[in-house]
Amino acid sequence: MRALAEAMFAQDGEVESGRLDAHVEEVDRFISAASKGVRFGLRVALLVLWLAPMLMLHRATTVDRLRVEERAHVLARLERSALWHLSLAFVGWRSVMTLVFYEDPTELRQIGYTSDERHRYKRRLPALTANVPVPDESGVRLRAGVRDKIDNTDDTGDARPSREVA
């Protein structure tokens, strides 16, 4: 996992070795909180990534034995691969590792989140959103039988007349 982190975040040498080691520990704690099925799936995906140079017919070695530039090249090829299961293995790990990496306060400050409270900066102007009507439906599409059952009951579970939603 450290080899992947090095190829993803420290290819140009900007990230220190200690920061990468701490990142691997953070990812391990993050994954440890997942269910058994998710942990098993991610371990299989990590095995696929470890064997990626052989699976991509790049070189007969594992990803941790390649130079950082070669690792980044293999991961880029893996991401664009027509073999979706290989690409999915990388995308899954890349998502988790990126999420954990950019939760670090130092990284957050470098990308523009300067306060410790990490408020979400909104780009919309309040004047533009003030006149937007609230939708009558959530946007979630339910199956017809479930939708009819929900539409015909109120909060107490009693039947109510159905209403039309625009």
Side-chain angles (χ1 to χ4, degrees), residues 1 3-5 8 42-56 61-64 66 71 74-75 78-79 85-94 97:
M1 191 181 332
L4 295 175
M8 289 171 54
L42 285 172
R43 284 182 182 157
V44 170
L46 191 59
L47 176 66
V48 168
L49 294 177
W50 187 62
L51 298 172
M54 288 183 263
L55 296 173
M56 299 294 296
T61 187
T62 57
V63 76
D64 56 333
L66 295 173
R71 275 185 239 155
V74 167
L75 293 177
L78 191 62
E79 185 176 25
H85 53 284
L86 295 178
S87 182
L88 190 60
F90 175 62
V91 169
W93 271 105
R94 182 189 64 186
M97 292 176 74

PDB file of all heavy atoms in Angstrom, residues 1 3-5 8 42-56 61-64 66 71 74-75 78-79 85-94 97:
ATOM      1  N   MET A   1       0.829  -1.181   0.000  1.00  0.00           N
ATOM      2  CA  MET A   1       0.000   0.000   0.000  1.00  0.00           C
ATOM      3  C   MET A   1       0.882   1.257   0.000  1.00  0.00           C
ATOM      4  O   MET A   1       0.517   2.254  -0.601  1.00  0.00           O
ATOM      5  CB  MET A   1      -0.906  -0.015   1.227  1.00  0.00           C
ATOM      6  CG  MET A   1      -1.949   1.020   1.177  1.00  0.00           C
ATOM      7  SD  MET A   1      -3.077   1.128   2.579  1.00  0.00           S
ATOM      8  CE  MET A   1      -3.174  -0.458   3.242  1.00  0.00           C
ATOM      9  N   ALA A   3       3.714   1.584  -1.501  1.00  0.00           N
ATOM     10  CA  ALA A   3       4.193   1.782  -2.866  1.00  0.00           C
ATOM     11  C   ALA A   3       3.141   2.511  -3.702  1.00  0.00           C
ATOM     12  O   ALA A   3       3.474   3.382  -4.510  1.00  0.00           O
ATOM     13  CB  ALA A   3       4.550   0.446  -3.500  1.00  0.00           C
ATOM     14  N   LEU A   4       1.876   2.174  -3.492  1.00  0.00           N
ATOM     15  CA  LEU A   4       0.800   2.868  -4.202  1.00  0.00           C
ATOM     16  C   LEU A   4       0.719   4.326  -3.759  1.00  0.00           C
ATOM     17  O   LEU A   4       0.578   5.233  -4.588  1.00  0.00           O
ATOM     18  CB  LEU A   4      -0.536   2.184  -3.945  1.00  0.00           C
ATOM     19  CG  LEU A   4      -0.694   0.765  -4.464  1.00  0.00           C
ATOM     20  CD1 LEU A   4      -2.027   0.193  -4.026  1.00  0.00           C
ATOM     21  CD2 LEU A   4      -0.555   0.733  -5.960  1.00  0.00           C
ATOM     22  N   ALA A   5       0.810   4.549  -2.448  1.00  0.00           N
ATOM     23  CA  ALA A   5       0.746   5.916  -1.923  1.00  0.00           C
ATOM     24  C   ALA A   5       1.903   6.754  -2.456  1.00  0.00           C
ATOM     25  O   ALA A   5       1.720   7.922  -2.805  1.00  0.00           O
ATOM     26  CB  ALA A   5       0.762   5.901  -0.402  1.00  0.00           C
ATOM     27  N   MET A   8       1.147   7.659  -6.011  1.00  0.00           N
ATOM     28  CA  MET A   8       0.018   8.572  -6.152  1.00  0.00           C
ATOM     29  C   MET A   8       0.311   9.969  -5.620  1.00  0.00           C
ATOM     30  O   MET A   8      -0.104  10.959  -6.218  1.00  0.00           O
ATOM     31  CB  MET A   8      -1.206   8.003  -5.420  1.00  0.00           C
ATOM     32  CG  MET A   8      -1.813   6.804  -6.097  1.00  0.00           C
ATOM     33  SD  MET A   8      -3.084   5.994  -5.113  1.00  0.00           S
ATOM     34  CE  MET A   8      -4.192   7.324  -4.753  1.00  0.00           C
ATOM     35  N   LEU A  42     -11.376  -5.376  -0.630  1.00  0.00           N
ATOM     36  CA  LEU A  42     -10.248  -4.459  -0.777  1.00  0.00           C
ATOM     37  C   LEU A  42      -8.915  -5.200  -0.729  1.00  0.00           C
ATOM     38  O   LEU A  42      -7.965  -4.812  -1.406  1.00  0.00           O
ATOM     39  CB  LEU A  42     -10.302  -3.369   0.290  1.00  0.00           C
ATOM     40  CG  LEU A  42     -11.366  -2.298   0.042  1.00  0.00           C
ATOM     41  CD1 LEU A  42     -11.481  -1.378   1.248  1.00  0.00           C
ATOM     42  CD2 LEU A  42     -11.054  -1.500  -1.201  1.00  0.00           C
ATOM     43  N   ARG A  43      -8.842  -6.272   0.043  1.00  0.00           N
ATOM     44  CA  ARG A  43      -7.602  -7.068   0.062  1.00  0.00           C
ATOM     45  C   ARG A  43      -7.380  -7.764  -1.280  1.00  0.00           C
ATOM     46  O   ARG A  43      -6.249  -7.832  -1.765  1.00  0.00           O
ATOM     47  CB  ARG A  43      -7.649  -8.094   1.183  1.00  0.00           C
ATOM     48  CG  ARG A  43      -7.421  -7.477   2.533  1.00  0.00           C
ATOM     49  CD  ARG A  43      -7.418  -8.500   3.616  1.00  0.00           C
ATOM     50  NE  ARG A  43      -7.231  -7.850   4.897  1.00  0.00           N
ATOM     51  CZ  ARG A  43      -7.599  -8.368   6.034  1.00  0.00           C
ATOM     52  NH1 ARG A  43      -8.175  -9.560   6.071  1.00  0.00           N
ATOM     53  NH2 ARG A  43      -7.397  -7.717   7.154  1.00  0.00           N
ATOM     54  N   VAL A  44      -8.447  -8.274  -1.873  1.00  0.00           N
ATOM     55  CA  VAL A  44      -8.325  -8.886  -3.201  1.00  0.00           C
ATOM     56  C   VAL A  44      -7.904  -7.828  -4.218  1.00  0.00           C
ATOM     57  O   VAL A  44      -7.033  -8.062  -5.061  1.00  0.00           O
ATOM     58  CB  VAL A  44      -9.642  -9.583  -3.615  1.00  0.00           C
ATOM     59  CG1 VAL A  44      -9.611 -10.003  -5.074  1.00  0.00           C
ATOM     60  CG2 VAL A  44      -9.925 -10.774  -2.715  1.00  0.00           C
ATOM     61  N   ALA A  45      -8.507  -6.642  -4.129  1.00  0.00           N
ATOM     62  CA  ALA A  45      -8.143  -5.553  -5.041  1.00  0.00           C
ATOM     63  C   ALA A  45      -6.684  -5.137  -4.835  1.00  0.00           C
ATOM     64  O   ALA A  45      -5.977  -4.844  -5.794  1.00  0.00           O
ATOM     65  CB  ALA A  45      -9.071  -4.362  -4.830  1.00  0.00           C
ATOM     66  N   LEU A  46      -6.213  -5.144  -3.582  1.00  0.00           N
ATOM     67  CA  LEU A  46      -4.820  -4.812  -3.303  1.00  0.00           C
ATOM     68  C   LEU A  46      -3.882  -5.861  -3.889  1.00  0.00           C
ATOM     69  O   LEU A  46      -2.817  -5.530  -4.411  1.00  0.00           O
ATOM     70  CB  LEU A  46      -4.597  -4.660  -1.799  1.00  0.00           C
ATOM     71  CG  LEU A  46      -3.279  -4.066  -1.356  1.00  0.00           C
ATOM     72  CD1 LEU A  46      -3.093  -2.677  -1.950  1.00  0.00           C
ATOM     73  CD2 LEU A  46      -3.208  -4.011   0.154  1.00  0.00           C
ATOM     74  N   LEU A  47      -4.283  -7.119  -3.852  1.00  0.00           N
ATOM     75  CA  LEU A  47      -3.494  -8.176  -4.486  1.00  0.00           C
ATOM     76  C   LEU A  47      -3.415  -7.952  -5.995  1.00  0.00           C
ATOM     77  O   LEU A  47      -2.342  -8.099  -6.597  1.00  0.00           O
ATOM     78  CB  LEU A  47      -4.087  -9.551  -4.178  1.00  0.00           C
ATOM     79  CG  LEU A  47      -3.414 -10.741  -4.857  1.00  0.00           C
ATOM     80  CD1 LEU A  47      -1.991 -10.917  -4.349  1.00  0.00           C
ATOM     81  CD2 LEU A  47      -4.226 -11.998  -4.650  1.00  0.00           C
ATOM     82  N   VAL A  48      -4.520  -7.577  -6.598  1.00  0.00           N
ATOM     83  CA  VAL A  48      -4.533  -7.288  -8.033  1.00  0.00           C
ATOM     84  C   VAL A  48      -3.587  -6.134  -8.344  1.00  0.00           C
ATOM     85  O   VAL A  48      -2.822  -6.186  -9.312  1.00  0.00           O
ATOM     86  CB  VAL A  48      -5.970  -6.977  -8.521  1.00  0.00           C
ATOM     87  CG1 VAL A  48      -5.974  -6.406  -9.924  1.00  0.00           C
ATOM     88  CG2 VAL A  48      -6.831  -8.229  -8.454  1.00  0.00           C
ATOM     89  N   LEU A  49      -3.608  -5.097  -7.511  1.00  0.00           N
ATOM     90  CA  LEU A  49      -2.716  -3.957  -7.731  1.00  0.00           C
ATOM     91  C   LEU A  49      -1.260  -4.346  -7.526  1.00  0.00           C
ATOM     92  O   LEU A  49      -0.382  -3.859  -8.236  1.00  0.00           O
ATOM     93  CB  LEU A  49      -3.089  -2.804  -6.798  1.00  0.00           C
ATOM     94  CG  LEU A  49      -4.440  -2.177  -7.051  1.00  0.00           C
ATOM     95  CD1 LEU A  49      -4.727  -1.103  -6.013  1.00  0.00           C
ATOM     96  CD2 LEU A  49      -4.530  -1.613  -8.441  1.00  0.00           C
ATOM     97  N   TRP A  50      -0.997  -5.210  -6.572  1.00  0.00           N
ATOM     98  CA  TRP A  50       0.366  -5.656  -6.311  1.00  0.00           C
ATOM     99  C   TRP A  50       0.917  -6.429  -7.514  1.00  0.00           C
ATOM    100  O   TRP A  50       2.085  -6.323  -7.867  1.00  0.00           O
ATOM    101  CB  TRP A  50       0.385  -6.511  -5.048  1.00  0.00           C
ATOM    102  CG  TRP A  50       1.730  -6.897  -4.560  1.00  0.00           C
ATOM    103  CD1 TRP A  50       2.726  -6.058  -4.136  1.00  0.00           C
ATOM    104  CD2 TRP A  50       2.237  -8.215  -4.440  1.00  0.00           C
ATOM    105  NE1 TRP A  50       3.820  -6.793  -3.755  1.00  0.00           N
ATOM    106  CE2 TRP A  50       3.544  -8.127  -3.933  1.00  0.00           C
ATOM    107  CE3 TRP A  50       1.709  -9.475  -4.707  1.00  0.00           C
ATOM    108  CZ2 TRP A  50       4.342  -9.225  -3.689  1.00  0.00           C
ATOM    109  CZ3 TRP A  50       2.492 -10.575  -4.446  1.00  0.00           C
ATOM    110  CH2 TRP A  50       3.790 -10.434  -3.957  1.00  0.00           C
ATOM    111  N   LEU A  51       0.026  -7.193  -8.167  1.00  0.00           N
ATOM    112  CA  LEU A  51       0.420  -7.981  -9.340  1.00  0.00           C
ATOM    113  C   LEU A  51       0.193  -7.247 -10.661  1.00  0.00           C
ATOM    114  O   LEU A  51       0.396  -7.829 -11.732  1.00  0.00           O
ATOM    115  CB  LEU A  51      -0.364  -9.297  -9.361  1.00  0.00           C
ATOM    116  CG  LEU A  51      -0.145 -10.236  -8.177  1.00  0.00           C
ATOM    117  CD1 LEU A  51      -1.128 -11.393  -8.246  1.00  0.00           C
ATOM    118  CD2 LEU A  51       1.285 -10.720  -8.126  1.00  0.00           C
ATOM    119  N   ALA A  52      -0.201  -6.001 -10.608  1.00  0.00           N
ATOM    120  CA  ALA A  52      -0.569  -5.245 -11.813  1.00  0.00           C
ATOM    121  C   ALA A  52       0.496  -5.229 -12.903  1.00  0.00           C
ATOM    122  O   ALA A  52       0.154  -5.365 -14.077  1.00  0.00           O
ATOM    123  CB  ALA A  52      -0.955  -3.816 -11.438  1.00  0.00           C
ATOM    124  N   PRO A  53       1.790  -5.085 -12.591  1.00  0.00           N
ATOM    125  CA  PRO A  53       2.763  -5.090 -13.695  1.00  0.00           C
ATOM    126  C   PRO A  53       2.740  -6.398 -14.496  1.00  0.00           C
ATOM    127  O   PRO A  53       2.890  -6.377 -15.713  1.00  0.00           O
ATOM    128  CB  PRO A  53       4.106  -4.907 -12.984  1.00  0.00           C
ATOM    129  CG  PRO A  53       3.768  -4.213 -11.725  1.00  0.00           C
ATOM    130  CD  PRO A  53       2.425  -4.741 -11.322  1.00  0.00           C
ATOM    131  N   MET A  54       2.509  -7.504 -13.818  1.00  0.00           N
ATOM    132  CA  MET A  54       2.433  -8.785 -14.530  1.00  0.00           C
ATOM    133  C   MET A  54       1.118  -8.909 -15.285  1.00  0.00           C
ATOM    134  O   MET A  54       1.084  -9.407 -16.410  1.00  0.00           O
ATOM    135  CB  MET A  54       2.574  -9.943 -13.544  1.00  0.00           C
ATOM    136  CG  MET A  54       3.980 -10.097 -13.001  1.00  0.00           C
ATOM    137  SD  MET A  54       4.127 -11.507 -11.933  1.00  0.00           S
ATOM    138  CE  MET A  54       3.947 -10.731 -10.345  1.00  0.00           C
ATOM    139  N   LEU A  55       0.020  -8.459 -14.670  1.00  0.00           N
ATOM    140  CA  LEU A  55      -1.291  -8.566 -15.308  1.00  0.00           C
ATOM    141  C   LEU A  55      -1.413  -7.648 -16.523  1.00  0.00           C
ATOM    142  O   LEU A  55      -2.121  -7.964 -17.469  1.00  0.00           O
ATOM    143  CB  LEU A  55      -2.392  -8.232 -14.292  1.00  0.00           C
ATOM    144  CG  LEU A  55      -2.502  -9.184 -13.100  1.00  0.00           C
ATOM    145  CD1 LEU A  55      -3.511  -8.643 -12.096  1.00  0.00           C
ATOM    146  CD2 LEU A  55      -2.878 -10.577 -13.550  1.00  0.00           C
ATOM    147  N   MET A  56      -0.708  -6.533 -16.494  1.00  0.00           N
ATOM    148  CA  MET A  56      -0.736  -5.592 -17.616  1.00  0.00           C
ATOM    149  C   MET A  56       0.355  -5.907 -18.649  1.00  0.00           C
ATOM    150  O   MET A  56       0.542  -5.161 -19.595  1.00  0.00           O
ATOM    151  CB  MET A  56      -0.549  -4.157 -17.105  1.00  0.00           C
ATOM    152  CG  MET A  56      -1.605  -3.681 -16.146  1.00  0.00           C
ATOM    153  SD  MET A  56      -3.221  -3.528 -16.878  1.00  0.00           S
ATOM    154  CE  MET A  56      -2.948  -2.266 -18.068  1.00  0.00           C
ATOM    155  N   THR A  61       7.324  -8.492 -12.493  1.00  0.00           N
ATOM    156  CA  THR A  61       7.667  -8.121 -11.126  1.00  0.00           C
ATOM    157  C   THR A  61       6.411  -7.589 -10.451  1.00  0.00           C
ATOM    158  O   THR A  61       5.361  -7.456 -11.071  1.00  0.00           O
ATOM    159  CB  THR A  61       8.798  -7.071 -11.096  1.00  0.00           C
ATOM    160  OG1 THR A  61       9.213  -6.866  -9.750  1.00  0.00           O
ATOM    161  CG2 THR A  61       8.376  -5.772 -11.725  1.00  0.00           C
ATOM    162  N   THR A  62       6.533  -7.280  -9.175  1.00  0.00           N
ATOM    163  CA  THR A  62       5.403  -6.698  -8.453  1.00  0.00           C
ATOM    164  C   THR A  62       5.551  -5.183  -8.417  1.00  0.00           C
ATOM    165  O   THR A  62       6.623  -4.637  -8.668  1.00  0.00           O
ATOM    166  CB  THR A  62       5.332  -7.259  -7.020  1.00  0.00           C
ATOM    167  OG1 THR A  62       6.566  -7.001  -6.357  1.00  0.00           O
ATOM    168  CG2 THR A  62       5.045  -8.753  -7.045  1.00  0.00           C
ATOM    169  N   VAL A  63       4.465  -4.509  -8.071  1.00  0.00           N
ATOM    170  CA  VAL A  63       4.443  -3.048  -8.133  1.00  0.00           C
ATOM    171  C   VAL A  63       5.409  -2.409  -7.138  1.00  0.00           C
ATOM    172  O   VAL A  63       5.970  -1.351  -7.414  1.00  0.00           O
ATOM    173  CB  VAL A  63       2.995  -2.514  -7.948  1.00  0.00           C
ATOM    174  CG1 VAL A  63       2.554  -2.582  -6.508  1.00  0.00           C
ATOM    175  CG2 VAL A  63       2.858  -1.112  -8.488  1.00  0.00           C
ATOM    176  N   ASP A  64       5.658  -3.049  -6.008  1.00  0.00           N
ATOM    177  CA  ASP A  64       6.541  -2.446  -5.014  1.00  0.00           C
ATOM    178  C   ASP A  64       8.013  -2.504  -5.404  1.00  0.00           C
ATOM    179  O   ASP A  64       8.835  -1.807  -4.832  1.00  0.00           O
ATOM    180  CB  ASP A  64       6.330  -3.076  -3.642  1.00  0.00           C
ATOM    181  CG  ASP A  64       6.516  -4.578  -3.650  1.00  0.00           C
ATOM    182  OD1 ASP A  64       6.310  -5.197  -4.707  1.00  0.00           O
ATOM    183  OD2 ASP A  64       6.857  -5.135  -2.585  1.00  0.00           O
ATOM    184  N   LEU A  66       9.079  -1.769  -8.521  1.00  0.00           N
ATOM    185  CA  LEU A  66       9.285  -0.824  -9.618  1.00  0.00           C
ATOM    186  C   LEU A  66       9.727   0.530  -9.072  1.00  0.00           C
ATOM    187  O   LEU A  66       9.462   0.870  -7.918  1.00  0.00           O
ATOM    188  CB  LEU A  66       7.988  -0.627 -10.402  1.00  0.00           C
ATOM    189  CG  LEU A  66       7.437  -1.828 -11.159  1.00  0.00           C
ATOM    190  CD1 LEU A  66       6.076  -1.487 -11.735  1.00  0.00           C
ATOM    191  CD2 LEU A  66       8.391  -2.266 -12.245  1.00  0.00           C
ATOM    192  N   ARG A  71       5.849   2.860 -11.456  1.00  0.00           N
ATOM    193  CA  ARG A  71       4.610   2.571 -10.720  1.00  0.00           C
ATOM    194  C   ARG A  71       3.497   3.504 -11.175  1.00  0.00           C
ATOM    195  O   ARG A  71       2.374   3.063 -11.415  1.00  0.00           O
ATOM    196  CB  ARG A  71       4.819   2.784  -9.217  1.00  0.00           C
ATOM    197  CG  ARG A  71       5.389   1.612  -8.529  1.00  0.00           C
ATOM    198  CD  ARG A  71       5.438   1.883  -7.051  1.00  0.00           C
ATOM    199  NE  ARG A  71       6.827   1.767  -6.665  1.00  0.00           N
ATOM    200  CZ  ARG A  71       7.385   2.330  -5.645  1.00  0.00           C
ATOM    201  NH1 ARG A  71       6.693   3.092  -4.841  1.00  0.00           N
ATOM    202  NH2 ARG A  71       8.649   2.144  -5.380  1.00  0.00           N
ATOM    203  N   VAL A  74       2.292   2.410 -14.566  1.00  0.00           N
ATOM    204  CA  VAL A  74       1.460   1.204 -14.491  1.00  0.00           C
ATOM    205  C   VAL A  74       0.078   1.547 -13.954  1.00  0.00           C
ATOM    206  O   VAL A  74      -0.938   1.071 -14.462  1.00  0.00           O
ATOM    207  CB  VAL A  74       2.146   0.117 -13.625  1.00  0.00           C
ATOM    208  CG1 VAL A  74       1.183  -0.995 -13.267  1.00  0.00           C
ATOM    209  CG2 VAL A  74       3.348  -0.447 -14.346  1.00  0.00           C
ATOM    210  N   LEU A  75       0.007   2.389 -12.921  1.00  0.00           N
ATOM    211  CA  LEU A  75      -1.289   2.765 -12.358  1.00  0.00           C
ATOM    212  C   LEU A  75      -2.114   3.579 -13.351  1.00  0.00           C
ATOM    213  O   LEU A  75      -3.337   3.409 -13.432  1.00  0.00           O
ATOM    214  CB  LEU A  75      -1.094   3.540 -11.053  1.00  0.00           C
ATOM    215  CG  LEU A  75      -0.498   2.739  -9.899  1.00  0.00           C
ATOM    216  CD1 LEU A  75      -0.301   3.637  -8.691  1.00  0.00           C
ATOM    217  CD2 LEU A  75      -1.349   1.533  -9.559  1.00  0.00           C
ATOM    218  N   LEU A  78      -3.410   1.120 -15.780  1.00  0.00           N
ATOM    219  CA  LEU A  78      -4.424   0.314 -15.110  1.00  0.00           C
ATOM    220  C   LEU A  78      -5.751   1.074 -15.025  1.00  0.00           C
ATOM    221  O   LEU A  78      -6.819   0.498 -15.229  1.00  0.00           O
ATOM    222  CB  LEU A  78      -3.927  -0.049 -13.712  1.00  0.00           C
ATOM    223  CG  LEU A  78      -4.682  -1.083 -12.923  1.00  0.00           C
ATOM    224  CD1 LEU A  78      -4.649  -2.417 -13.641  1.00  0.00           C
ATOM    225  CD2 LEU A  78      -4.074  -1.225 -11.543  1.00  0.00           C
ATOM    226  N   GLU A  79      -5.667   2.350 -14.766  1.00  0.00           N
ATOM    227  CA  GLU A  79      -6.872   3.168 -14.664  1.00  0.00           C
ATOM    228  C   GLU A  79      -7.597   3.274 -16.004  1.00  0.00           C
ATOM    229  O   GLU A  79      -8.826   3.295 -16.052  1.00  0.00           O
ATOM    230  CB  GLU A  79      -6.493   4.553 -14.164  1.00  0.00           C
ATOM    231  CG  GLU A  79      -7.671   5.447 -13.899  1.00  0.00           C
ATOM    232  CD  GLU A  79      -7.252   6.773 -13.317  1.00  0.00           C
ATOM    233  OE1 GLU A  79      -6.104   7.204 -13.547  1.00  0.00           O
ATOM    234  OE2 GLU A  79      -8.084   7.384 -12.639  1.00  0.00           O
ATOM    235  N   HIS A  85     -12.391  -4.912 -14.490  1.00  0.00           N
ATOM    236  CA  HIS A  85     -12.139  -5.409 -13.142  1.00  0.00           C
ATOM    237  C   HIS A  85     -10.765  -4.977 -12.638  1.00  0.00           C
ATOM    238  O   HIS A  85     -10.580  -4.735 -11.447  1.00  0.00           O
ATOM    239  CB  HIS A  85     -12.317  -6.923 -13.056  1.00  0.00           C
ATOM    240  CG  HIS A  85     -11.537  -7.693 -14.071  1.00  0.00           C
ATOM    241  ND1 HIS A  85     -11.925  -7.777 -15.385  1.00  0.00           N
ATOM    242  CD2 HIS A  85     -10.404  -8.396 -13.951  1.00  0.00           C
ATOM    243  CE1 HIS A  85     -11.035  -8.503 -16.036  1.00  0.00           C
ATOM    244  NE2 HIS A  85     -10.110  -8.885 -15.203  1.00  0.00           N
ATOM    245  N   LEU A  86      -9.800  -4.855 -13.522  1.00  0.00           N
ATOM    246  CA  LEU A  86      -8.490  -4.344 -13.121  1.00  0.00           C
ATOM    247  C   LEU A  86      -8.579  -2.849 -12.808  1.00  0.00           C
ATOM    248  O   LEU A  86      -8.021  -2.371 -11.817  1.00  0.00           O
ATOM    249  CB  LEU A  86      -7.460  -4.579 -14.220  1.00  0.00           C
ATOM    250  CG  LEU A  86      -7.125  -6.033 -14.539  1.00  0.00           C
ATOM    251  CD1 LEU A  86      -6.131  -6.089 -15.686  1.00  0.00           C
ATOM    252  CD2 LEU A  86      -6.599  -6.746 -13.325  1.00  0.00           C
ATOM    253  N   SER A  87      -9.279  -2.132 -13.643  1.00  0.00           N
ATOM    254  CA  SER A  87      -9.447  -0.700 -13.425  1.00  0.00           C
ATOM    255  C   SER A  87     -10.216  -0.423 -12.135  1.00  0.00           C
ATOM    256  O   SER A  87      -9.872   0.478 -11.374  1.00  0.00           O
ATOM    257  CB  SER A  87     -10.182  -0.094 -14.615  1.00  0.00           C
ATOM    258  OG  SER A  87     -10.320   1.282 -14.462  1.00  0.00           O
ATOM    259  N   LEU A  88     -11.229  -1.214 -11.877  1.00  0.00           N
ATOM    260  CA  LEU A  88     -12.044  -1.038 -10.677  1.00  0.00           C
ATOM    261  C   LEU A  88     -11.234  -1.273  -9.403  1.00  0.00           C
ATOM    262  O   LEU A  88     -11.449  -0.593  -8.398  1.00  0.00           O
ATOM    263  CB  LEU A  88     -13.252  -1.968 -10.724  1.00  0.00           C
ATOM    264  CG  LEU A  88     -14.321  -1.759  -9.682  1.00  0.00           C
ATOM    265  CD1 LEU A  88     -14.908  -0.367  -9.794  1.00  0.00           C
ATOM    266  CD2 LEU A  88     -15.410  -2.798  -9.840  1.00  0.00           C
ATOM    267  N   ALA A  89     -10.298  -2.204  -9.439  1.00  0.00           N
ATOM    268  CA  ALA A  89      -9.445  -2.454  -8.277  1.00  0.00           C
ATOM    269  C   ALA A  89      -8.644  -1.205  -7.931  1.00  0.00           C
ATOM    270  O   ALA A  89      -8.537  -0.826  -6.758  1.00  0.00           O
ATOM    271  CB  ALA A  89      -8.503  -3.626  -8.557  1.00  0.00           C
ATOM    272  N   PHE A  90      -8.113  -0.545  -8.933  1.00  0.00           N
ATOM    273  CA  PHE A  90      -7.340   0.668  -8.673  1.00  0.00           C
ATOM    274  C   PHE A  90      -8.235   1.826  -8.250  1.00  0.00           C
ATOM    275  O   PHE A  90      -7.906   2.573  -7.327  1.00  0.00           O
ATOM    276  CB  PHE A  90      -6.508   1.064  -9.886  1.00  0.00           C
ATOM    277  CG  PHE A  90      -5.803   2.376  -9.704  1.00  0.00           C
ATOM    278  CD1 PHE A  90      -4.858   2.532  -8.707  1.00  0.00           C
ATOM    279  CD2 PHE A  90      -6.090   3.458 -10.505  1.00  0.00           C
ATOM    280  CE1 PHE A  90      -4.210   3.744  -8.515  1.00  0.00           C
ATOM    281  CE2 PHE A  90      -5.443   4.665 -10.324  1.00  0.00           C
ATOM    282  CZ  PHE A  90      -4.507   4.813  -9.326  1.00  0.00           C
ATOM    283  N   VAL A  91      -9.361   1.992  -8.893  1.00  0.00           N
ATOM    284  CA  VAL A  91     -10.257   3.105  -8.578  1.00  0.00           C
ATOM    285  C   VAL A  91     -10.753   2.995  -7.136  1.00  0.00           C
ATOM    286  O   VAL A  91     -10.839   3.990  -6.418  1.00  0.00           O
ATOM    287  CB  VAL A  91     -11.427   3.173  -9.579  1.00  0.00           C
ATOM    288  CG1 VAL A  91     -12.497   4.140  -9.121  1.00  0.00           C
ATOM    289  CG2 VAL A  91     -10.918   3.561 -10.949  1.00  0.00           C
ATOM    290  N   GLY A  92     -11.045   1.788  -6.678  1.00  0.00           N
ATOM    291  CA  GLY A  92     -11.481   1.597  -5.295  1.00  0.00           C
ATOM    292  C   GLY A  92     -10.425   2.024  -4.295  1.00  0.00           C
ATOM    293  O   GLY A  92     -10.695   2.784  -3.362  1.00  0.00           O
ATOM    294  N   TRP A  93      -9.209   1.561  -4.489  1.00  0.00           N
ATOM    295  CA  TRP A  93      -8.131   1.938  -3.570  1.00  0.00           C
ATOM    296  C   TRP A  93      -7.756   3.406  -3.713  1.00  0.00           C
ATOM    297  O   TRP A  93      -7.459   4.076  -2.720  1.00  0.00           O
ATOM    298  CB  TRP A  93      -6.904   1.056  -3.780  1.00  0.00           C
ATOM    299  CG  TRP A  93      -7.003  -0.160  -2.925  1.00  0.00           C
ATOM    300  CD1 TRP A  93      -7.307  -1.421  -3.333  1.00  0.00           C
ATOM    301  CD2 TRP A  93      -6.817  -0.233  -1.512  1.00  0.00           C
ATOM    302  NE1 TRP A  93      -7.327  -2.260  -2.263  1.00  0.00           N
ATOM    303  CE2 TRP A  93      -7.027  -1.562  -1.129  1.00  0.00           C
ATOM    304  CE3 TRP A  93      -6.504   0.704  -0.530  1.00  0.00           C
ATOM    305  CZ2 TRP A  93      -6.928  -1.978   0.190  1.00  0.00           C
ATOM    306  CZ3 TRP A  93      -6.414   0.289   0.783  1.00  0.00           C
ATOM    307  CH2 TRP A  93      -6.617  -1.036   1.137  1.00  0.00           C
ATOM    308  N   ARG A  94      -7.761   3.912  -4.925  1.00  0.00           N
ATOM    309  CA  ARG A  94      -7.431   5.330  -5.122  1.00  0.00           C
ATOM    310  C   ARG A  94      -8.421   6.222  -4.394  1.00  0.00           C
ATOM    311  O   ARG A  94      -8.048   7.215  -3.773  1.00  0.00           O
ATOM    312  CB  ARG A  94      -7.418   5.674  -6.605  1.00  0.00           C
ATOM    313  CG  ARG A  94      -7.039   7.134  -6.860  1.00  0.00           C
ATOM    314  CD  ARG A  94      -7.228   7.530  -8.274  1.00  0.00           C
ATOM    315  NE  ARG A  94      -8.648   7.451  -8.597  1.00  0.00           N
ATOM    316  CZ  ARG A  94      -9.148   7.632  -9.782  1.00  0.00           C
ATOM    317  NH1 ARG A  94      -8.368   7.869 -10.800  1.00  0.00           N
ATOM    318  NH2 ARG A  94     -10.438   7.548  -9.997  1.00  0.00           N
ATOM    319  N   MET A  97      -7.708   5.968  -0.551  1.00  0.00           N
ATOM    320  CA  MET A  97      -6.432   6.585  -0.199  1.00  0.00           C
ATOM    321  C   MET A  97      -6.463   8.100  -0.377  1.00  0.00           C
ATOM    322  O   MET A  97      -5.896   8.845   0.432  1.00  0.00           O
ATOM    323  CB  MET A  97      -5.299   5.953  -1.012  1.00  0.00           C
ATOM    324  CG  MET A  97      -5.063   4.502  -0.616  1.00  0.00           C
ATOM    325  SD  MET A  97      -3.828   3.687  -1.606  1.00  0.00           S
ATOM    326  CE  MET A  97      -2.347   4.425  -0.958  1.00  0.00           C
TER     327      MET A  97
END
